[in-house]
């Protein structure tokens, strides 16, 4: 295994991804919505007494509060209704939305790395290079996995700063992140990034265009929607333990998908598909 070749392939793919607006525009715009627009809108709404009163008296919010697990009840213990609503909405219910980021980042970069190269007709030269199949595969996986994880973690840091700064007048203290976020960000989000890459590799072997691969693999967002519905209905609470177990399940799925992806990543088959 020649890691210089692996990282050279990864750097090449990252350079090409930066030249594609379809790749970097979503990576710039979507985090801004999750980090700035939605949180600030909720915080400003709760800072308005009339809007806060209507929101905190909402039957759905009251129903969620009545079904809170013990670890969340302890977190909001001693808070007034406005503070508790802020903690629940941005510190708890919003968590599954944030998991969209690693899936989106990994699939959009991986789609450019695999299907995008086929679309540009540049993959044939790469396949004739002296790099082994394993080095080619790892280089392309790293080109999607590393930036997806780093951007997700950077977005989490920015989200932490925004929430603590903007909500300080309401909370009167630094209150975020909550304990349930740590396994989600540092355990589940890398697993979701790898899941997106594995699915994209398999899909890219069947399609010829970047958009085709990205649109097909984007259906993985349904996993996040299922988590959101589970929290809103009280069926599933993303406690730290649930986050760890969820990550274990996704990592197992990653192993299966990666094994299938390695089997499908055969340069002879890719060369034949180009002819």
């Amino acid at each position: 295994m020649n890691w210089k070749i692996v990282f050279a392939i990864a750097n090449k793919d990252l350079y090409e991804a930066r030249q594609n607006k379809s790749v970097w525009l979503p990576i710039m715009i979507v985090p801004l919505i999750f980090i700035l627009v939605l949180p600030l809108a909720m915080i400003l709404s709760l800072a308005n007494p009339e809007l806060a009163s209507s929101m905190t008296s909402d039957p759905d919010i009251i129903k969620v509060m009545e079904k809170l697990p013990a670890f969340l009840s302890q977190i909001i213990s001693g808070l007034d209704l406005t503070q508790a609503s802020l903690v629940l909405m941005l510190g708890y219910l919003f968590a599954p939305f944030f998991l969209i980021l690693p899936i989106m980042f990994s699939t959009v970069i991986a789609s450019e790395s695999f299907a995008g190269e086929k679309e540009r007709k540049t993959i044939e030269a790469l396949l004739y290079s002296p790099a082994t199949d394993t080095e080619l595969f790892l280089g392309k996986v790293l080109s999607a996995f590393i930036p997806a994880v780093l951007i997700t973690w950077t977005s989490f840091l920015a989200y932490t700063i925004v929430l603590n700064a903007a909500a300080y007048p309401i909370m009167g203290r630094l209150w975020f992140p909550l304990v349930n976020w740590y396994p989600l960000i540092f355990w589940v989000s890398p697993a979701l990034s790898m899941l997106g890459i594995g699915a994209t590799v398999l899909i890219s072997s069947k399609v010829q265009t970047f958009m085709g691969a990205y649109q097909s693999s984007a259906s993985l967002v349904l996993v996040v929607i299922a988590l959101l519905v589970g929290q809103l209905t009280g069926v599933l609470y993303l406690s730290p333990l649930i986050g760890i177990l969820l990550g274990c399940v996704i990592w197992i799925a990653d192993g299966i998908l990666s094994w299938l992806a390695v089997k499908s990543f055969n340069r002879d088959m890719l060369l034949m598909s180009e002819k």
Side-chain angles (χ1 to χ4, degrees):
M1 176 73 69
N2 189 328
W3 286 101
K4 287 185 178 180
I5 294 177
V6 171
F7 286 112
I9 293 170
N11 286 331
K12 177 192 75 69
D13 285 357
L14 286 174
Y15 174 79
E16 291 174 347
R18 289 196 299 268
Q19 311 306 309
N20 189 341
K21 289 184 179 180
S22 299
V23 174
W24 57 261
L25 274 180
I27 290 176
M28 291 179 61
I29 294 172
V30 174
L32 288 176
I33 295 173
F34 285 100
I35 295 169
L36 286 176
V37 178
L38 292 178
L40 289 179
M42 292 183 185
I43 292 171
L44 291 174
S45 297
L46 288 170
N48 184 308
E50 294 182 2
L51 288 175
S53 177
S54 63
M55 291 179 68
T56 53
S57 61
D58 188 290
D60 292 332
I61 294 178
I62 295 174
K63 185 178 179 181
V64 169
M65 288 186 174
E66 291 174 348
K67 295 182 178 180
L68 290 180
F71 84 95
L72 266 180
S73 297
Q74 293 176 355
I75 290 174
I76 65 172
S77 177
L79 301 180
D80 61 38
L81 198 54
T82 299
Q83 292 172 331
S85 298
L86 178 64
V87 170
L88 288 176
M89 285 191 292
L90 292 178
Y92 181 65
L93 294 178
F94 199 75
F97 280 113
F98 213 87
L99 294 179
I100 291 174
L101 300 183
I103 293 179
M104 188 201 75
F105 295 152
S106 62
T107 53
V108 71
I109 298 173
S111 296
E112 163 62 23
S113 178
F114 289 93
E117 193 141 26
K118 292 169 70 176
E119 185 177 11
R120 293 190 302 273
K121 305 296 183 183
T122 58
I123 196 169
E124 187 170 346
L126 183 62
L127 294 175
Y128 279 120
S129 70
T132 65
D133 285 355
T134 302
E135 290 166 349
L136 283 172
F137 181 79
L138 281 178
K140 288 188 168 294
V141 167
L142 288 179
S143 72
F145 180 77
I146 292 176
V149 171
L150 291 180
I151 296 171
T152 299
W153 288 353
T154 302
S155 299
F156 172 65
L157 176 61
Y159 184 72
T160 299
I161 294 172
V162 168
L163 257 58
N164 284 313
Y168 194 87
I170 297 175
M171 300 298 296
R173 61 184 174 86
L174 302 179
W175 62 278
F176 188 85
L178 303 182
V179 66
N180 61 299
W181 280 74
Y182 292 109
L184 292 181
I185 295 300
F186 298 109
W187 176 239
V188 177
S189 69
L192 286 173
S193 295
M194 188 58 71
L195 186 70
I197 294 168
T200 304
V201 173
L202 291 173
I203 292 168
S204 295
S205 64
K206 307 296 182 183
V207 301
Q208 297 295 323
T209 65
F210 158 73
M211 288 306 299
Y214 176 57
Q215 290 170 359
S216 299
S217 55
S219 59
L220 288 172
V221 173
L222 293 174
V223 175
V224 177
I225 294 175
L227 294 175
L228 175 64
V229 172
Q231 288 209 126
L232 291 175
T233 58
V235 174
L236 175 68
Y237 288 105
L238 289 177
S239 65
L241 177 59
I242 293 297
I244 292 171
L245 293 176
L246 177 64
C248 289
V249 171
I250 297 174
W251 278 114
I252 291 172
D254 290 342
I256 297 171
L257 270 180
S258 296
W259 178 74
L260 293 172
V262 169
K263 288 190 65 177
S264 70
F265 192 79
N266 181 291
R267 69 173 68 202
D268 292 332
M269 292 181 62
L270 288 172
L271 284 169
M272 288 178 63
S273 69
E274 289 295 294
K275 295 178 179 179

